Amino acid sequence: MRGDDTPRSEPAPRRRTPLTHMLSMAKVGVIGFGGGSALIPVMERELVHPKKLTTREFTQDTVIANVTPGALPVKIATVSGTQLSGTAAATGGAVAVAMPGALATVALLALFSALGPGAISVVEFASLGISAFILYLLGHYTLKVLAPGGRVQWTGVAIAVIAFLLSGAGRAVTLIVDAAGGEQPVSLPELSALGLVLISLAGIAIVSVWQLLRGGRAVVSDVQEGEAVPVGARRALRAALVMSILTAVGFVAAFVVVPAPSTLSFLGLILVSTVSSFGGGEAYVGVADGFFVATGLVDSTLFYGQIVPVANALPGPILVKIAAGVAYGVGAATGSVLAGVVFAIAAFLITVGSCSAIALLVLAGYDRARNSLFVRNTSAYILPVICGLLAATALSLLHASAGIAEGAGVPAVAAIVGSVALALLVPLVHKLARVPDIVLIIAFGALSLTVLSLV
């Protein structure tokens, strides 16, 4: 019973089976072009529902995912799975959201010599249309946060604009200059996603202290009527233990196939590179370069000529795809395709398991502090910051689409206008007919693939 003073036992999982959560995350993994931040509204669409997560819980998950290292979609999938159904859903969701992209990356690398660069072009051409749909989701999510029920929240709008200027002003200038065919005289400084979130949290902490000094309460009332019971630290810790075991399984599996000290040292680098990677998949390219290319473990031609282009062209978490691709290349270099596949599987388990375990440990602590004034203020003010970040992400999507289109002989301006037009078409289609999103995604992907192939 809510609102009483009786001690709460470990809360029961909500009405969502591990299989249902796993299938939802697999869907995100298949359509998830654009990197981690771009998938926030895609995942929100799958996870927020009266019988699933509340908006506040999803906000909490997004904050945790942004302040911990590793792949953002994987962390949201595992944290939300823990809240909705427990350890099985946490594990299945994390694996499912990363599996499609990682599997496709290894498959394309294995067949690269036979298929050639044309295989990557097909994926890139289709990604333009799919990215246009993601643009719609970014806009829809931002509108829902900043103008709920059609009423504009001007404080939130101001916060979002500031967040965008700090994280995306340089991207806006770059997009405009590239579309105009000019040269950018100077690059404007930008904050990374991690830097933006950390500065925002610092600002929220200052506001919270100020409120306390004015006589506010450090801990507000317990669970409100209609609000979900917290997930429970024990369940989060159990899931973190399972994810740690998953990480260990990756080491053992690779060592069984290639029982050499170099195997463990290489996979150790995979682990360290994952837990030291903040700022999204794009940042991991630089991290991986330092760990694997600069040290001579992976040839720069293989890394920048195959692994990075393939990972960027495919959906899903970039970090996991690059790690799996690097591991496949290192394993295959031993002379065995089997070793390459096993190394890729090991890297997949290590990246997914390690970043999930860290996020779940933070969830356990966050859950205990959920009624603090700081956490409540975070829930109130962080969403507009995320909206500003998503606006910057939308520009990155448009810039990537423009680059792909230019490579196919289509002007950048045409690609940008076409992408925005398709994004604006989605709400019109939804208004006229109840067309499932997956149908629109397939149609947009097929349209861009056809147009660019015919140019």
Side-chain angles (χ1 to χ4, degrees), residues 38-331:
L39 298 191
I40 291 175
V42 181
M43 301 188 83
E44 188 256 2
R45 204 175 182 87
E46 291 293 321
L47 293 170
V48 176
H49 187 274
K51 293 184 179 180
K52 299 178 185 177
L53 295 181
T54 64
T55 299
R56 181 183 168 200
E57 288 172 315
F58 184 76
T59 301
Q60 166 192 287
D61 296 350
T62 303
V63 171
I64 291 173
N66 272 287
V67 299
T68 52
L72 185 144
V74 170
K75 291 177 289 185
I76 293 180
T78 194
V79 170
S80 61
T82 304
Q83 293 171 305
L84 290 170
S85 190
T87 302
T91 307
V95 170
V97 77
M99 178 69 78
L103 186 63
T105 296
V106 174
L108 274 180
L109 289 175
L111 299 173
F112 195 88
S113 58
L115 298 177
I120 299 178
S121 297
V122 169
V123 177
E124 286 182 336
F125 290 173
S127 73
L128 260 73
I130 298 172
S131 294
F133 184 85
I134 293 176
L135 280 176
Y136 154 73
L137 291 181
L138 294 175
H140 178 75
Y141 179 84
T142 300
L143 188 63
K144 184 169 65 174
V145 170
L146 300 181
R151 301 181 63 181
V152 179
Q153 305 294 316
W154 292 110
T155 300
V157 171
I159 293 173
V161 170
I162 293 171
F164 169 73
L165 292 175
L166 290 173
S167 63
R171 275 176 265 189
V173 173
T174 300
L175 184 65
I176 294 171
V177 171
D178 288 353
E183 293 186 6
Q184 187 170 344
V186 62
S187 296
L188 297 179
E190 291 183 347
L191 283 175
S192 66
L194 174 65
L196 180 63
V197 171
L198 289 179
I199 288 177
S200 302
L201 292 177
I204 292 170
I206 292 171
V207 171
S208 300
V209 171
W210 179 71
Q211 290 174 335
L212 287 174
L213 293 176
R214 294 192 62 194
R217 297 173 59 188
V219 178
V220 295
S221 59
D222 200 5
V223 181
Q224 304 294 316
E225 186 66 28
E227 184 180 336
V229 176
V231 65
R234 289 184 187 175
R235 197 192 313 164
L237 292 174
R238 282 198 299 267
L241 176 61
V242 171
M243 289 300 180
S244 300
I245 294 173
L246 199 69
T247 303
V249 169
F251 279 93
V252 173
F255 189 74
V256 168
V257 175
V258 183
S262 59
T263 298
L264 297 180
S265 62
F266 167 70
L267 294 178
L269 291 178
I270 292 286
L271 174 61
V272 174
S273 67
T274 300
V275 300
S276 61
S277 179
F278 292 88
E282 296 82 0
Y284 187 71
V285 175
V287 173
D289 182 294
F291 274 91
F292 307 112
V293 179
T295 58
L297 283 171
V298 177
D299 183 76
S300 61
T301 302
L302 172 64
F303 186 74
Y304 288 107
Q306 296 185 27
I307 295 174
V308 172
V310 167
N312 280 321
L314 293 170
I318 294 176
L319 185 152
V320 180
K321 291 181 292 184
I322 290 179
V326 166
Y328 174 79
V330 171

